[in-house]
Every structure is written in C-alpha cells, then in structure tokens.
Amino acid sequence: MSQDYRFSFGPWNVHEGADPFGPPVRPSVSLGEKLRLYKTLGFDGVQFHDDDAVPELEELTPGEIVKRAREMRRLLHDEGLVAEFVAPRLWEDSRGIDGGYTANDPGCRQWALERSKRAIDIARELGTELLVLWLAREGTYIRESKNPLEAFRHLLDAVNKLLEYDPKIVIAIEPKPNEPMDQAYLPTVGHALAFASQTVDPARVGVLIETAHVILAGLDPSDEMAFALSMGKLLSVHLNDQNGLKFDEDKSFGSANLRAAFNQVRVLELGGYAATGRFVGLDVKAMRTQKPEVAMRHLANSREVFLRLVEKVRTFPRDLEAQCIANRDYEALEIAILRHLMGLSPAL
Ligand code: XUL
Ligand code: MN
C-alpha cells in the first residue's frame, strides 16, 4: 500500500515556529539537514519555492541561478530524492507588495514575470516540469484598489507568457480564497479551472488542491478533488487539516476531521491518483509548542494517517455499501462508515 503512493513536502514544513504574535521558538534547520530527514520520515519528493532551491536568487544572474540549481539537483540525487515542483515566491519581495502579476505598477508585474521565468529555469534543472502558482497576493485588501477586469487580463497574460517561455512546463494553480489578502482573484478550484481553459494551452494548466484552503472557501475538499480528477486536472495535493473558518492552520492531516480526511483518500482512490504517479503532498505545520527534536513528527504522522485511511477505504465492505445504496438507507451507510472508522465491524 505505501508502495502505491509517493509522498512529498516542502522544506518550509520544518520550521522555527514563529507566528504573527511571537518569534521563533526552535533553531533553524539547514536545508541539508532537512533533506536528510525526508527518507527517514517516508518521503521521496521535495517541493521547492524557487529560493528554497536557490537561496538569494535575486542577487544572482540567470546563468548563476541555473548553476546553483544544478548543484541542488546533485544534492537531491545523493539523498535519493526528486523534486516534485518549484513555486515562485512572489509574496515576500517588496516588489510583490501589491501582488505580482496583478500589481498596479507595470515594473512590479515585469519583475513577477521574470522571477517566475527563473523559477521555470530552476524546475528544468531540478528535473521537474511542474510549476506551482500559489497566487498569494493576487487579489485585493480593498476592491477599489484595482480594476479587477484588468487584473484578470494581467493574470492571464502572465500565465500565457510562462506557458510560452517553456513548452514543457505544466502549471498547477493552488487556489486559496483569502490570507494574506482579504479576497483572492482565483479563490476556488472552479475559478482556477475556468481560468485554465482560457490560457493558450489549457492542457498544461491544472490545480494543486490544499485541504485547508478549500475549507476556508466553505467547500468540501473531497468534492473539489473529485471535480479536478474528473477532468484530469489534479496535478498535486496539499493534504492537511483546518478547524473551521479562521487563519490557515495547516494542521496535520485528519487531525480536525478524520471523516473528511477519509473522504479525500476515498476520492483519490476512486480517481486512480496513485497510478498517475503524482505525489501526495503534505503542507502541514508543527505546533509551536513542539520541541526541536520532535518538530517533524507531524509529517510522519500525516503520512501514517493517510496510509491507514487508504486501508480503511480498501477494507470497507463493498457489498454492505451496495446494499445500503440500493435500499437508499444512508443512515445505515453512515453508521457503518463511523463504526469502520472507530475500528469496529461496520456490519456489527
Ligand atoms: C499558503 C500555502 C503555501 C503554498 C506553497 O497557504 O499553502 O505553502 O502551498 O507556497
Ligand atoms: Mn499549500
């Protein structure tokens, strides 16, 4: 079973524990040390921001960036790891304050495009064709600050230019409805896929779906995943959990709503996700209270929950399910699922 799925996470998932209200509480872990953790935690894929792979890339020429990325690939190879994707980090630089692709300042928009091209260069050198766009600041704090029709045109223009820059690159949009912005321009999977259909090459644009982001949009993560899977558009996932409508919590997978986690796994199983060879990505944060030596267990725990839920999906009795559905007795189906999740016999 664990051989069916490949798992990935990003180096930002092992972190110092700072939050908006308090400083770091754990020492920094170097990228080299983080990479050594992957295999021991059961992970084979690394998700990169562009500057995770090539630190301080704004100080480097395109040629130097390519050279550093090549060195990173060797490091990955030595650890038996592969890069899953690269994501341009447009939201930390001062030129991204008003958004990148949708900034009002044309100079900032140009910067965002060039930075994204460098991210594609890095992806190419790391041996992956997947570019993830979490459109962090592409939205507004107040609606009147941008002409949204122009903003959508700028967004489409930027994505088209990236598709044209590298004919092999595949773009996964990671929708999120809010945070850091009051309102994001592509808040849901539906928005992202409608947008994808308008690009110069819709076949190369899909989505990365994060559990917490979908919950923040008031939607059901398993339905969003099924929607994308039904169109062959689910390029990656960021499994985690979220306890209601508050800040983006990135809790361990299944920790807030085990049944919703079961349903996400069920949909990935129904949609044949494992056979696509795509990674099961975890985007989970350790609690700030964790001591340094156990501040990576949330990753192994999330993977364990995923694999145990695969087992739960596969062992739920199909005849009982069919019988409940034929009788339209969904109360019976529900209690059977709950018993199964509680480790009891579903038929009792
Ligand atoms: C933000 C988020 C990011 C992206 C990668 O909420 O989920 O971590 O997944 O930049
Ligand atoms: Mn994410």
Side-chain angles (χ1 to χ4, degrees), residues 12 47 49 85 87 91 132 134 174 176 179 208 210 213 238 240 248 250 283:
W12 64 88
Q47 308 181 333
H49 293 127
F85 68 66
W91 54 91
V132 167
W134 169 46
E174 182 180 349
K176 181 177 179 182
E179 199 200 38
L208 178 157
E210 171 163 329
H213 297 179
H238 267 172
N240 57 20
D248 183 9
D250 294 337
D283 195 1

Side-chain angles (χ1 to χ4, degrees), residues 79-101:
E79 296 294 338
L81 299 170
V82 294
E84 183 198 1
F85 68 66
V86 176
R89 200 194 306 257
L90 301 180
W91 54 91
E92 284 187 4
D93 192 282
S94 61
R95 286 160 288 187
I97 285 176
D98 191 29
Y101 312 129

